[in-house]
Amino acid sequence: MLRGFHLADFFTLGNAACGVGAVFLAMLFMASGDPAHFLGAAALAPAALAFDVLDGRIARARHQHSPLGRELDSLSDVISFGLAPAALAFAAGMEGGWDVAALVYFVCCGVSRLARYNVTAESMAAETGKVTYFEGTPIPTSVLLTVVLALAAWQDRLGDRLWGGVVSLGPWDLHPLALLFVLSGSLMISKTLHIPKP
């Protein structure tokens, strides 16, 4: 199968590898409590973004677009910009029931947004041959959430010290910071928000 890959596809796999590495480092942080593991996980988000940008540029420069490449890109994005930020948030202390619901919602929005893009990309590109805008924010914008978490870790504001504290709502706890993930997910699945595609 690898012989059928284009150069851009290997950069896409680099994106996926960064996401998996971030999840593993987040789990390692929960076991060790070493902030270096948390910051390492956060640092893999911009690395994944770099791979994500490069794979698209390489594919366009070499005129090597394929359905396989598009699917690889989406699956990698789900790991790096959906699952990894959610795992990092959980490791940061967003472990309450409402927090987990917010993080699950965020990941499901990311999956839905990428599936919608894959289904509609061909029809949106029918006239010009190129998709000119995104419906909803692209999933890599979740890198901003990772930056927020990295800043919290840098200032030693993880766990019970997360900005906004924790609120008990009914049977579960909520860290208000988790609402940023709800906002991000909601913007991803917006039908009316159009973002120009470079």
Side-chain angles (χ1 to χ4, degrees):
M1 185 183 81
L2 290 178
R3 275 179 252 161
F5 277 21
H6 300 300
L7 177 61
D9 298 333
F10 289 101
F11 280 82
T12 305
L13 291 178
N15 171 6
C18 288
V20 173
V23 172
F24 288 165
L25 281 169
M27 291 191 293
L28 191 57
F29 168 74
M30 293 188 74
S32 71
D34 185 348
H37 294 145
F38 190 93
L39 293 171
L44 286 173
L49 182 61
F51 278 114
D52 190 45
V53 170
L54 285 172
D55 70 4
R57 290 189 177 174
I58 290 169
R60 285 190 295 274
R62 296 168 68 96
H63 305 289
Q64 292 178 328
H65 299 277
S66 70
L68 175 63
R70 187 174 66 197
E71 295 303 321
L72 276 175
D73 188 64
S74 290
L75 293 170
S76 298
D77 285 355
V78 165
I79 298 169
S80 296
F81 307 119
L83 180 60
L88 199 61
F90 187 86
M94 297 183 205
E95 302 173 359
W98 296 118
D99 299 330
V100 171
L103 298 177
V104 169
Y105 171 78
F106 165 77
V107 174
C108 289
C109 286
V111 172
S112 301
R113 188 250 178 274
L114 289 166
R116 180 181 67 187
Y117 177 79
N118 285 352
V119 168
T120 60
E122 282 187 27
S123 61
M124 289 171 67
E127 294 180 7
T128 62
K130 182 184 175 196
V131 177
T132 56
Y133 63 87
F134 293 109
E135 284 185 346
T137 53
I139 192 171
T141 56
S142 69
V143 168
L144 297 175
L145 297 173
T146 306
V147 170
V148 170
L149 294 174
L151 185 58
W154 187 259
Q155 295 184 352
D156 194 25
R157 298 294 299 265
L158 299 181
D160 293 338
R161 298 179 302 280
L162 274 170
W163 298 312
V166 60
V167 179
S168 290
L169 294 173
W172 294 337
D173 289 340
L174 169 71
H175 290 83
L177 200 59
L179 296 177
L180 287 178
F181 284 82
V182 174
L183 175 62
S184 177
S186 298
L187 290 174
M188 280 192 264
I189 60 172
S190 169
K191 182 80 174 164
T192 56
L193 181 61
H194 290 179
I195 310 292
K197 189 174 186 295

